[in-house]
Amino acid sequence: TTGASTRQLVDDAKALMEAMLETGLNVAGLSAHLGVSRNHLLAAFQQEAGASPIAYLRAARLRRAKELLAGTTHSLAAIAAACGYGHVKYFLRCFRDAEGITPGAWRKHKIGP
């Protein structure tokens, strides 16, 4: 694989993940959509992004959750679903682990009283 095609594969993977956040897409599904093996995708991602596709996906889900927390009044359950989390409790744990506070506290802090 050339550097340009590896870069394009990773760019395509990132775009697909962003477009399909709410679907609960995983690495196996992502590689199937892109028509490459899971191992090829993992290697390309590591080479180009210095991280795994799942790390990128987690970060993308959290970015989207923050956008929705700050820009909407949607419930936490609705935000969790929109970001691809199967269960709101899992969303709460992932958010707290990443940010150090709950999504509700983050929203209050960002928006104010």
Side-chain angles (χ1 to χ4, degrees):
T1 306
T2 67
S5 62
T6 299
R7 192 168 25 261
Q8 187 61 53
L9 173 62
V10 172
D11 288 347
D12 291 349
K14 287 178 177 179
L16 192 57
M17 284 188 268
E18 296 283 349
M20 297 181 70
L21 278 181
E22 75 283 353
T23 67
L25 183 69
N26 60 23
V27 176
L30 180 62
S31 60
H33 273 294
L34 295 167
V36 298
S37 74
R38 183 179 181 278
N39 286 341
H40 181 76
L41 179 61
L42 291 171
F45 227 93
Q46 192 63 45
Q47 179 183 330
E48 284 297 314
S52 68
I54 200 68
Y56 181 86
L57 186 57
R58 284 184 190 130
R61 285 182 172 147
L62 287 171
R63 274 193 309 276
R64 181 71 180 131
K66 288 177 187 177
E67 290 170 6
L68 293 172
L69 286 165
T72 71
T73 58
H74 296 335
S75 69
L76 295 181
I79 291 172
C83 297
Y85 293 98
H87 303 280
V88 70
K89 284 185 179 185
Y90 182 62
F91 166 60
L92 295 172
R93 183 165 29 104
C94 291
F95 194 97
R96 189 179 59 243
D97 288 350
E99 297 300 318
I101 60 174
T102 65
W106 189 92
R107 178 183 259 171
K108 278 185 183 172
H109 176 74
K110 286 295 175 185
I111 297 174

XYZ file of all heavy atoms in Angstrom:
843
model
N 0.846 -1.183 0.000
C 0.000 0.000 0.000
C 0.889 1.242 0.000
O 1.790 1.347 0.816
C -0.906 0.028 1.237
O -1.623 -1.199 1.297
C -1.868 1.174 1.180
N 0.616 2.160 -0.862
C 1.400 3.388 -0.903
C 0.941 4.323 0.204
O -0.148 4.168 0.762
C 1.236 4.098 -2.261
O -0.112 4.553 -2.378
C 1.574 3.192 -3.422
N 1.787 5.306 0.500
C 1.429 6.281 1.527
C 0.146 7.012 1.202
O -0.691 7.241 2.069
N -0.023 7.354 -0.090
C -1.227 8.090 -0.492
C -2.470 7.233 -0.327
O -3.503 7.707 0.159
C -1.095 8.570 -1.931
N -2.397 5.958 -0.703
C -3.583 5.108 -0.575
C -3.871 4.783 0.887
O -5.028 4.650 1.275
C -3.447 3.843 -1.416
O -2.366 3.062 -0.985
N -2.824 4.649 1.700
C -3.021 4.440 3.136
C -3.693 5.661 3.749
O -4.641 5.542 4.513
C -1.669 4.165 3.838
O -1.106 2.991 3.276
C -1.854 3.975 5.326
N -3.217 6.828 3.385
C -3.799 8.079 3.884
C -5.262 8.193 3.448
O -6.127 8.572 4.223
C -2.970 9.263 3.374
C -3.291 10.571 4.028
C -2.263 11.679 3.731
N -1.494 11.554 2.505
C -0.239 11.069 2.416
N 0.388 10.619 3.469
N 0.382 11.017 1.248
N -5.538 7.833 2.188
C -6.915 7.902 1.682
C -7.813 6.919 2.423
O -8.949 7.249 2.755
C -6.951 7.621 0.178
C -8.322 7.832 -0.432
C -8.806 9.263 -0.288
O -8.115 10.199 -0.669
N -9.988 9.453 0.279
N -7.311 5.723 2.691
C -8.086 4.729 3.436
C -8.444 5.262 4.825
O -9.593 5.172 5.258
C -7.299 3.415 3.556
C -7.925 2.346 4.451
C -9.288 1.909 3.926
C -6.974 1.154 4.578
N -7.480 5.855 5.491
C -7.729 6.392 6.833
C -8.686 7.581 6.765
O -9.599 7.692 7.590
C -6.400 6.755 7.537
C -6.645 7.491 8.842
C -5.586 5.475 7.788
N -8.508 8.440 5.778
C -9.438 9.564 5.608
C -10.860 9.059 5.345
O -11.824 9.576 5.912
C -8.996 10.469 4.453
C -7.766 11.301 4.785
O -7.384 11.374 5.977
O -7.180 11.875 3.843
N -10.977 8.038 4.490
C -12.289 7.453 4.211
C -12.889 6.831 5.473
O -14.092 6.956 5.717
C -12.193 6.397 3.108
C -11.881 6.988 1.739
O -11.937 8.232 1.578
O -11.561 6.197 0.825
N -12.047 6.151 6.235
C -12.517 5.525 7.473
C -13.019 6.580 8.459
O -14.085 6.424 9.066
C -11.400 4.695 8.103
N -12.273 7.659 8.607
C -12.682 8.739 9.518
C -14.008 9.350 9.066
O -14.897 9.584 9.886
C -11.598 9.818 9.582
C -10.371 9.401 10.354
C -9.328 10.516 10.323
C -8.111 10.186 11.139
N -7.100 11.266 11.090
N -14.139 9.602 7.776
C -15.375 10.194 7.254
C -16.560 9.258 7.483
O -17.649 9.702 7.875
C -15.220 10.511 5.765
N -16.349 7.979 7.261
C -17.410 7.005 7.472
C -17.808 6.928 8.941
O -18.988 6.890 9.278
C -16.964 5.633 6.951
C -18.016 4.556 6.830
C -19.175 5.002 5.934
C -17.395 3.278 6.278
N -16.816 6.934 9.828
C -17.121 6.911 11.258
C -17.933 8.128 11.671
O -18.908 8.012 12.407
C -15.831 6.826 12.084
C -15.214 5.450 12.082
S -13.826 5.320 13.232
C -12.466 5.737 12.165
N -17.530 9.296 11.183
C -18.252 10.530 11.524
C -19.690 10.479 11.009
O -20.616 10.903 11.690
C -17.532 11.749 10.939
C -16.148 11.997 11.497
C -16.115 12.628 12.868
O -17.157 13.093 13.369
O -15.013 12.655 13.455
N -19.864 9.949 9.803
C -21.188 9.901 9.194
C -22.089 8.857 9.845
O -23.316 8.978 9.788
C -21.063 9.608 7.695
N -21.489 7.847 10.460
C -22.276 6.736 10.993
C -22.172 6.614 12.519
O -22.377 5.533 13.065
C -21.823 5.431 10.326
C -22.055 5.412 8.831
S -21.527 3.847 8.059
C -22.762 2.723 8.707
N -21.887 7.711 13.202
C -21.719 7.654 14.659
C -22.901 7.007 15.364
O -22.719 6.215 16.280
C -21.511 9.059 15.235
C -20.122 9.645 15.172
C -20.114 11.023 15.810
C -19.091 8.747 15.817
N -24.096 7.354 14.945
C -25.289 6.886 15.656
C -25.572 5.412 15.436
O -26.409 4.836 16.124
C -26.511 7.726 15.289
C -27.096 7.437 13.927
C -26.337 8.027 12.749
O -25.378 8.814 12.966
O -26.677 7.707 11.608
N -24.878 4.771 14.514
C -25.184 3.387 14.187
C -24.514 2.375 15.102
O -24.823 1.188 15.042
C -24.771 3.047 12.746
O -23.343 3.093 12.651
C -25.419 3.985 11.751
N -23.592 2.807 15.932
C -22.865 1.854 16.755
C -21.837 1.073 15.948
O -21.450 -0.028 16.306
N -21.380 1.649 14.854
C -20.388 1.036 13.981
C -19.171 0.586 14.780
O -18.721 1.292 15.677
C -19.956 2.066 12.924
C -18.971 1.640 11.859
C -19.635 0.637 10.910
C -18.496 2.849 11.088
N -18.643 -0.585 14.447
C -17.417 -1.056 15.087
C -16.347 -1.277 14.022
O -16.593 -1.071 12.834
C -17.679 -2.322 15.912
C -18.212 -3.462 15.065
O -18.017 -3.514 13.858
N -18.892 -4.386 15.708
N -15.163 -1.706 14.446
C -14.046 -1.837 13.507
C -14.327 -2.903 12.453
O -13.994 -2.719 11.277
C -12.727 -2.129 14.261
C -11.586 -2.363 13.289
C -12.387 -0.964 15.189
N -14.942 -4.004 12.843
C -15.260 -5.056 11.864
C -16.222 -4.524 10.803
O -16.028 -4.758 9.598
C -15.854 -6.269 12.569
N -17.241 -3.803 11.227
C -18.188 -3.219 10.287
C -17.544 -2.161 9.407
O -17.825 -2.063 8.215
N -16.671 -1.379 10.010
C -15.972 -0.334 9.281
C -15.092 -0.942 8.190
O -15.133 -0.497 7.035
C -15.125 0.493 10.252
C -14.323 1.641 9.682
C -15.228 2.694 9.061
C -13.469 2.261 10.786
N -14.323 -1.963 8.535
C -13.451 -2.579 7.532
C -14.279 -3.232 6.422
O -13.908 -3.166 5.248
C -12.491 -3.584 8.179
O -13.182 -4.616 8.822
N -15.424 -3.819 6.780
C -16.299 -4.411 5.762
C -16.833 -3.332 4.818
O -16.857 -3.529 3.593
C -17.455 -5.156 6.427
N -17.265 -2.191 5.368
C -17.750 -1.080 4.535
C -16.670 -0.587 3.573
O -16.957 -0.190 2.453
C -18.198 0.097 5.402
C -19.607 0.044 5.861
N -20.685 0.132 5.016
C -20.124 -0.096 7.100
C -21.800 0.057 5.703
N -21.486 -0.091 6.979
N -15.430 -0.601 4.043
C -14.325 -0.087 3.236
C -13.721 -1.141 2.320
O -12.868 -0.821 1.486
C -13.249 0.487 4.158
C -13.682 1.715 4.960
C -12.681 2.011 6.067
C -13.864 2.925 4.054
N -14.129 -2.392 2.486
C -13.639 -3.452 1.623
C -12.199 -3.857 1.880
O -11.488 -4.253 0.953
N -11.761 -3.720 3.129
C -10.403 -4.130 3.503
C -10.489 -5.031 4.728
O -11.503 -5.040 5.435
C -9.485 -2.918 3.808
C -9.320 -2.045 2.577
C -9.992 -2.109 4.982
N -9.423 -5.754 4.987
C -9.419 -6.600 6.177
C -9.292 -5.734 7.427
O -8.798 -4.597 7.383
C -8.257 -7.598 6.126
O -7.024 -6.942 6.371
N -9.747 -6.297 8.521
C -9.652 -5.596 9.810
C -8.189 -5.278 10.121
O -7.859 -4.168 10.540
C -10.273 -6.486 10.893
C -10.322 -5.880 12.251
C -10.988 -6.864 13.247
N -11.067 -6.281 14.562
C -10.059 -6.272 15.427
N -8.905 -6.819 15.110
N -10.209 -5.711 16.609
N -7.300 -6.254 9.895
C -5.878 -6.049 10.183
C -5.265 -4.961 9.296
O -4.436 -4.181 9.762
C -5.103 -7.355 10.032
C -5.371 -8.309 11.177
O -5.833 -7.909 12.245
N -5.092 -9.577 10.949
N -5.669 -4.922 8.034
C -5.157 -3.882 7.128
C -5.596 -2.498 7.615
O -4.803 -1.557 7.644
C -5.649 -4.135 5.701
C -5.144 -3.131 4.716
N -3.858 -3.136 4.232
C -5.760 -2.076 4.132
C -3.704 -2.128 3.402
N -4.844 -1.468 3.320
N -6.858 -2.390 8.014
C -7.369 -1.113 8.513
C -6.636 -0.704 9.786
O -6.245 0.455 9.936
C -8.879 -1.198 8.764
C -9.526 0.068 9.304
C -9.374 1.233 8.323
C -10.992 -0.179 9.608
N -6.443 -1.651 10.696
C -5.739 -1.338 11.950
C -4.324 -0.853 11.674
O -3.874 0.144 12.261
C -5.720 -2.563 12.865
C -7.056 -2.991 13.456
C -6.928 -4.334 14.162
C -7.606 -1.949 14.405
N -3.623 -1.526 10.791
C -2.242 -1.147 10.465
C -2.191 0.222 9.793
O -1.337 1.060 10.120
C -1.602 -2.203 9.570
N -3.091 0.454 8.848
C -3.119 1.744 8.151
C -3.418 2.874 9.126
O -2.789 3.934 9.083
C -4.166 1.714 7.039
N -4.362 2.646 10.013
C -4.736 3.672 10.981
C -3.572 3.986 11.914
O -3.282 5.146 12.200
C -5.960 3.222 11.792
C -7.009 4.273 11.900
C -8.041 4.323 10.984
C -6.975 5.222 12.897
C -9.022 5.299 11.059
C -7.941 6.202 12.987
C -8.963 6.236 12.073
N -2.913 2.931 12.385
C -1.775 3.133 13.276
C -0.677 3.924 12.571
O -0.094 4.838 13.148
C -1.241 1.780 13.759
C -0.246 1.894 14.895
C -0.841 2.485 16.160
O -1.925 2.132 16.580
N -0.135 3.421 16.767
N -0.424 3.583 11.314
C 0.620 4.260 10.539
C 0.287 5.732 10.309
O 1.133 6.602 10.478
C 0.792 3.560 9.199
C 1.835 4.196 8.290
C 1.907 3.501 6.940
O 1.646 2.319 6.825
N 2.259 4.258 5.913
N -0.947 6.024 9.917
C -1.326 7.386 9.543
C -1.749 8.255 10.720
O -1.452 9.438 10.748
C -2.468 7.356 8.521
C -2.043 6.992 7.138
C -1.082 7.994 6.528
O -1.317 9.215 6.614
O -0.071 7.540 5.956
N -2.479 7.670 11.656
C -3.054 8.468 12.748
C -2.342 8.261 14.080
O -2.591 8.995 15.024
C -4.544 8.128 12.896
N -1.503 7.232 14.150
C -0.805 6.965 15.397
C -1.715 6.447 16.499
O -1.378 6.519 17.673
N -2.865 5.963 16.113
C -3.843 5.446 17.072
C -4.703 4.411 16.365
O -4.625 4.253 15.148
C -4.713 6.580 17.612
N -5.541 3.756 17.126
C -6.433 2.756 16.543
C -7.715 3.414 16.041
O -8.076 4.510 16.490
C -6.785 1.704 17.587
O -7.595 2.276 18.599
N -8.430 2.742 15.141
C -9.721 3.273 14.704
C -10.702 3.415 15.874
O -11.473 4.360 15.915
C -10.226 2.249 13.689
C -9.068 1.420 13.324
C -8.073 1.520 14.422
N -10.640 2.498 16.816
C -11.572 2.570 17.941
C -11.280 3.794 18.806
O -12.203 4.429 19.314
C -11.596 1.255 18.753
C -12.872 1.168 19.581
C -10.398 1.083 19.612
C -14.117 0.997 18.793
N -10.012 4.150 18.956
C -9.671 5.368 19.714
C -10.229 6.598 18.994
O -10.774 7.505 19.632
C -8.158 5.489 19.884
N -10.112 6.617 17.665
C -10.675 7.726 16.903
C -12.186 7.760 17.048
O -12.782 8.825 17.249
C -10.287 7.628 15.418
C -10.829 8.783 14.625
C -10.113 9.973 14.534
C -12.079 8.723 14.019
C -10.624 11.058 13.842
C -12.598 9.801 13.329
C -11.866 10.964 13.241
O -12.384 12.043 12.573
N -12.812 6.592 16.960
C -14.265 6.507 17.072
C -14.743 6.988 18.439
O -15.708 7.740 18.534
C -14.718 5.070 16.805
C -16.215 4.810 16.743
C -16.881 5.666 15.681
C -16.470 3.329 16.463
N -14.062 6.576 19.484
C -14.422 7.048 20.838
C -14.329 8.563 20.932
O -15.217 9.217 21.477
C -13.504 6.421 21.883
C -13.808 5.002 22.200
C -12.902 4.497 23.315
N -13.038 3.079 23.458
C -12.027 2.227 23.507
N -10.783 2.660 23.431
N -12.255 0.942 23.639
N -13.246 9.117 20.405
C -13.060 10.572 20.444
C -14.138 11.276 19.620
O -14.664 12.320 20.031
C -11.667 10.936 19.941
N -14.478 10.721 18.469
C -15.515 11.322 17.615
C -16.865 11.294 18.318
O -17.628 12.266 18.259
C -15.592 10.592 16.274
N -17.175 10.194 18.984
C -18.439 10.100 19.725
C -18.487 11.133 20.843
O -19.518 11.780 21.059
C -18.616 8.692 20.285
C -19.001 7.692 19.240
C -19.223 6.312 19.834
N -19.762 5.428 18.815
C -19.517 4.141 18.741
N -18.747 3.559 19.637
N -20.048 3.425 17.785
N -17.382 11.298 21.546
C -17.353 12.285 22.630
C -17.449 13.704 22.096
O -18.133 14.553 22.681
C -16.102 12.105 23.489
C -16.124 10.884 24.399
C -14.755 10.671 25.041
C -17.207 11.005 25.463
N -16.779 13.979 20.968
C -16.897 15.318 20.361
C -18.344 15.611 19.998
O -18.857 16.694 20.262
C -16.034 15.411 19.091
C -14.612 15.780 19.296
C -13.901 16.160 17.998
N -14.039 15.185 16.920
C -13.275 14.107 16.757
N -12.317 13.844 17.618
N -13.480 13.295 15.738
N -18.997 14.647 19.380
C -20.400 14.824 18.975
C -21.286 14.990 20.204
O -22.193 15.827 20.209
C -20.854 13.630 18.128
C -22.263 13.737 17.639
C -22.397 14.813 16.568
N -23.769 14.872 16.121
C -24.463 15.984 16.009
N -23.895 17.150 16.259
N -25.705 15.976 15.612
N -21.028 14.215 21.239
C -21.814 14.334 22.470
C -21.675 15.741 23.049
O -22.672 16.349 23.461
C -21.374 13.291 23.491
N -20.480 16.279 23.051
C -20.266 17.634 23.574
C -21.005 18.672 22.738
O -21.579 19.615 23.284
C -18.775 17.959 23.620
C -18.030 17.220 24.692
C -16.556 17.565 24.600
C -15.724 16.743 25.527
N -14.292 17.042 25.382
N -20.985 18.495 21.416
C -21.729 19.408 20.542
C -23.213 19.383 20.895
O -23.856 20.430 20.989
C -21.561 19.018 19.074
C -20.189 19.250 18.505
C -20.014 18.621 17.120
O -21.001 18.098 16.551
O -18.876 18.626 16.614
N -23.749 18.189 21.083
C -25.174 18.053 21.395
C -25.490 18.545 22.807
O -26.534 19.163 23.023
C -25.621 16.602 21.224
C -25.593 16.080 19.783
C -25.854 14.586 19.742
C -26.612 16.830 18.926
N -24.605 18.292 23.742
C -24.823 18.782 25.110
C -24.845 20.305 25.148
O -25.677 20.905 25.823
C -23.727 18.259 26.046
C -23.813 16.793 26.434
C -22.495 16.328 27.052
C -24.969 16.555 27.394
N -23.926 20.922 24.421
C -23.813 22.380 24.438
C -24.856 23.060 23.558
O -25.285 24.170 23.852
C -22.412 22.802 23.993
N -25.274 22.383 22.480
C -26.110 23.053 21.497
C -27.567 22.652 21.472
O -28.332 23.191 20.674
N -27.953 21.690 22.320
C -29.342 21.242 22.319
C -29.813 21.045 23.759
O -29.021 21.099 24.691
C -29.519 19.887 21.585
O -28.947 18.844 22.381
C -28.884 19.902 20.208
N -31.087 20.793 23.889
C -31.638 20.423 25.199
C -32.050 18.951 25.203
O -32.818 18.519 26.051
C -32.862 21.305 25.548
O -33.836 21.157 24.513
C -32.466 22.752 25.705
N -31.514 18.188 24.261
C -31.825 16.755 24.179
C -31.477 16.059 25.490
O -30.518 16.434 26.169
C -31.058 16.083 23.051
C -31.395 16.570 21.683
N -32.597 17.139 21.340
C -30.664 16.562 20.541
C -32.596 17.452 20.064
N -31.424 17.126 19.551
N -32.219 15.018 25.789
C -31.935 14.222 26.982
C -30.619 13.476 26.804
O -30.136 13.288 25.677
C -33.054 13.213 27.214
O -33.015 12.215 26.196
N -30.062 13.034 27.914
C -28.831 12.260 27.845
C -29.045 10.960 27.075
O -28.166 10.512 26.345
C -28.295 11.974 29.249
C -27.851 13.204 30.048
C -27.324 12.786 31.402
C -26.816 14.014 29.295
N -30.213 10.370 27.213
C -30.519 9.137 26.476
C -30.534 9.403 24.970
O -30.009 8.604 24.184
C -31.853 8.559 26.932
N -31.124 10.517 24.557
C -31.169 10.865 23.138
C -29.764 11.152 22.607
O -29.420 10.753 21.493
C -32.083 12.059 22.908
N -28.967 11.830 23.400
C -27.590 12.136 22.991
C -26.780 10.852 22.898
O -26.035 10.643 21.936
C -26.946 13.149 23.947
C -27.622 14.517 23.756
C -25.442 13.247 23.728
C -27.227 15.573 24.760
N -26.938 9.973 23.877
C -26.230 8.688 23.839
C -26.571 7.934 22.555
O -25.671 7.438 21.863
C -26.586 7.852 25.065
N -27.836 7.864 22.228
C -28.271 7.156 21.017
C -27.719 7.828 19.765
O -27.267 7.151 18.834
C -29.791 7.092 20.969
N -27.733 9.149 19.723
C -27.257 9.886 18.552
C -25.753 9.720 18.338
O -25.263 9.928 17.231
C -27.598 11.368 18.694
N -25.047 9.335 19.381
C -23.599 9.175 19.300
C -23.169 7.712 19.200
O -21.974 7.415 19.219
C -22.938 9.833 20.498
S -23.214 11.614 20.546
N -24.134 6.806 19.117
C -23.813 5.403 18.914
C -23.607 4.578 20.160
O -23.125 3.451 20.087
N -23.965 5.135 21.306
C -23.862 4.365 22.546
C -25.150 3.555 22.699
O -26.241 4.107 22.662
C -23.687 5.282 23.755
C -22.368 6.016 23.748
C -22.277 7.320 23.280
C -21.216 5.402 24.212
C -21.062 7.998 23.270
C -20.000 6.065 24.207
C -19.930 7.364 23.737
O -18.732 8.020 23.725
N -25.006 2.257 22.896
C -26.166 1.392 23.005
C -26.973 1.606 24.268
O -28.183 1.381 24.282
N -26.305 2.053 25.313
C -26.967 2.253 26.604
C -26.511 3.568 27.215
O -25.329 3.904 27.164
C -26.640 1.101 27.560
C -27.025 -0.234 27.016
N -28.321 -0.692 27.057
C -26.300 -1.199 26.402
C -28.368 -1.888 26.496
N -27.164 -2.208 26.076
N -27.435 4.281 27.819
C -27.095 5.571 28.410
C -26.084 5.401 29.547
O -25.202 6.244 29.716
C -28.364 6.351 28.847
C -29.025 5.708 30.048
C -28.038 7.809 29.126
N -26.178 4.318 30.302
C -25.213 4.111 31.392
C -23.797 3.973 30.856
O -22.846 4.463 31.464
C -25.588 2.881 32.229
C -26.737 3.123 33.155
C -26.984 1.921 34.047
C -28.134 2.223 34.987
N -28.348 1.141 35.948
N -23.644 3.310 29.720
C -22.321 3.178 29.106
C -21.817 4.546 28.639
O -20.647 4.892 28.820
C -22.371 2.182 27.947
C -21.029 1.959 27.292
C -19.966 1.423 28.012
C -20.823 2.294 25.964
C -18.731 1.231 27.424
C -19.597 2.099 25.358
C -18.547 1.567 26.092
O -17.324 1.391 25.501
N -22.706 5.331 28.061
C -22.353 6.696 27.659
C -21.884 7.503 28.857
O -20.855 8.181 28.805
C -23.552 7.376 26.989
C -23.421 8.864 26.841
C -22.389 9.425 26.103
C -24.336 9.718 27.440
C -22.271 10.805 25.961
C -24.229 11.092 27.301
C -23.190 11.634 26.564
N -22.636 7.432 29.955
C -22.273 8.184 31.154
C -20.877 7.788 31.642
O -20.068 8.647 31.996
C -23.303 7.959 32.265
C -24.712 8.482 31.985
C -25.683 8.029 33.074
C -24.726 9.987 31.854
N -20.603 6.487 31.659
C -19.302 6.003 32.136
C -18.181 6.450 31.198
O -17.141 6.937 31.664
C -19.311 4.484 32.253
C -18.007 3.944 32.806
C -18.066 2.517 33.285
N -19.008 1.666 32.629
C -18.693 0.734 31.724
N -17.436 0.550 31.373
N -19.623 -0.034 31.200
N -18.383 6.314 29.895
C -17.358 6.731 28.931
C -17.079 8.226 29.031
O -15.919 8.653 29.003
C -17.782 6.376 27.507
S -17.792 4.619 27.154
N -18.128 9.010 29.140
C -17.969 10.461 29.223
C -17.225 10.835 30.502
O -16.266 11.607 30.464
C -19.337 11.154 29.174
C -19.236 12.636 28.930
C -19.386 13.135 27.651
C -18.983 13.522 29.964
C -19.285 14.506 27.404
C -18.880 14.886 29.735
C -19.029 15.374 28.448
N -17.648 10.261 31.617
C -17.010 10.565 32.902
C -15.549 10.131 32.897
O -14.687 10.857 33.387
C -17.773 9.905 34.048
C -17.294 10.345 35.426
C -18.076 9.696 36.557
N -17.967 8.244 36.486
C -18.990 7.413 36.287
N -20.203 7.866 36.147
N -18.797 6.102 36.237
N -15.268 8.963 32.332
C -13.884 8.485 32.262
C -13.011 9.430 31.439
O -11.857 9.672 31.771
C -13.822 7.074 31.667
C -14.348 6.009 32.610
O -14.598 6.302 33.804
O -14.535 4.864 32.138
N -13.564 9.956 30.354
C -12.797 10.823 29.457
C -12.681 12.250 29.980
O -11.637 12.892 29.840
C -13.428 10.841 28.068
N -13.748 12.775 30.581
C -13.799 14.190 30.944
C -13.650 14.469 32.440
O -13.463 15.601 32.837
C -15.114 14.807 30.452
C -15.262 14.790 28.947
C -14.162 15.563 28.242
O -13.803 16.663 28.705
O -13.654 15.056 27.228
N -13.824 13.440 33.247
C -13.703 13.626 34.690
C -14.966 14.122 35.366
O -14.985 14.276 36.585
N -15.998 14.396 34.579
C -17.292 14.811 35.124
C -18.398 14.178 34.290
O -18.148 13.706 33.181
C -17.475 16.363 35.145
C -17.373 16.966 33.729
C -16.486 17.023 36.077
C -17.691 18.451 33.675
N -19.603 14.195 34.816
C -20.727 13.608 34.087
C -21.152 14.528 32.940
O -20.866 15.731 32.960
C -21.933 13.402 35.016
O -22.397 14.692 35.443
C -21.582 12.520 36.206
N -21.868 13.983 31.960
C -22.363 14.836 30.873
C -23.271 15.957 31.382
O -23.206 17.087 30.878
C -23.138 13.872 29.974
C -22.611 12.527 30.287
C -22.180 12.570 31.722
N -24.102 15.652 32.369
C -24.985 16.682 32.914
C -24.210 17.825 33.554
O -24.521 18.999 33.354
N -23.179 17.478 34.327
C -22.346 18.513 34.953
C -21.573 19.280 33.888
O -21.415 20.506 33.982
C -21.390 17.882 35.947
N -21.104 18.592 32.859
C -20.382 19.253 31.769
C -21.287 20.260 31.077
O -20.886 21.384 30.796
C -19.872 18.208 30.776
C -18.945 18.756 29.728
C -17.585 18.819 29.804
C -19.306 19.331 28.469
N -17.092 19.399 28.653
C -18.132 19.705 27.822
C -20.521 19.553 27.821
C -18.113 20.304 26.572
C -20.510 20.147 26.577
C -19.323 20.519 25.951
N -22.536 19.854 30.827
C -23.504 20.737 30.163
C -23.762 21.972 31.018
O -23.757 23.094 30.507
C -24.811 19.973 29.925
C -25.886 20.826 29.282
C -27.173 20.043 29.142
N -27.325 19.578 27.771
C -28.247 18.726 27.359
N -29.079 18.189 28.219
N -28.340 18.402 26.090
N -23.986 21.782 32.303
C -24.223 22.923 33.202
C -23.035 23.877 33.204
O -23.195 25.097 33.178
C -24.481 22.447 34.622
C -25.880 21.998 34.879
C -26.057 21.664 36.343
C -27.452 21.144 36.575
N -27.615 20.639 37.946
N -21.838 23.333 33.262
C -20.620 24.137 33.285
C -20.455 24.917 31.980
O -20.081 26.086 31.995
C -19.406 23.245 33.535
C -18.115 23.974 33.482
N -17.690 24.821 34.467
C -17.138 23.984 32.523
C -16.512 25.337 34.133
N -16.154 24.830 32.963
N -20.726 24.285 30.848
C -20.544 24.928 29.545
C -21.618 25.966 29.253
O -21.362 26.971 28.633
C -20.543 23.892 28.417
C -19.288 23.083 28.355
C -18.116 23.966 28.005
C -16.820 23.197 28.042
N -15.646 24.019 27.829
N -22.838 25.686 29.667
C -23.945 26.575 29.339
C -24.195 27.594 30.440
O -24.610 28.704 30.183
C -25.226 25.740 29.045
C -24.984 24.878 27.822
C -26.433 26.650 28.849
C -26.101 23.926 27.511
N -23.927 27.202 31.663
C -24.149 28.104 32.788
C -25.540 27.912 33.361
O -26.356 27.179 32.811
N -25.807 28.568 34.491
C -27.101 28.382 35.162
C -28.262 28.959 34.381
O -28.132 29.786 33.557
C -26.924 29.106 36.491
C -25.699 29.945 36.369
C -24.928 29.452 35.185
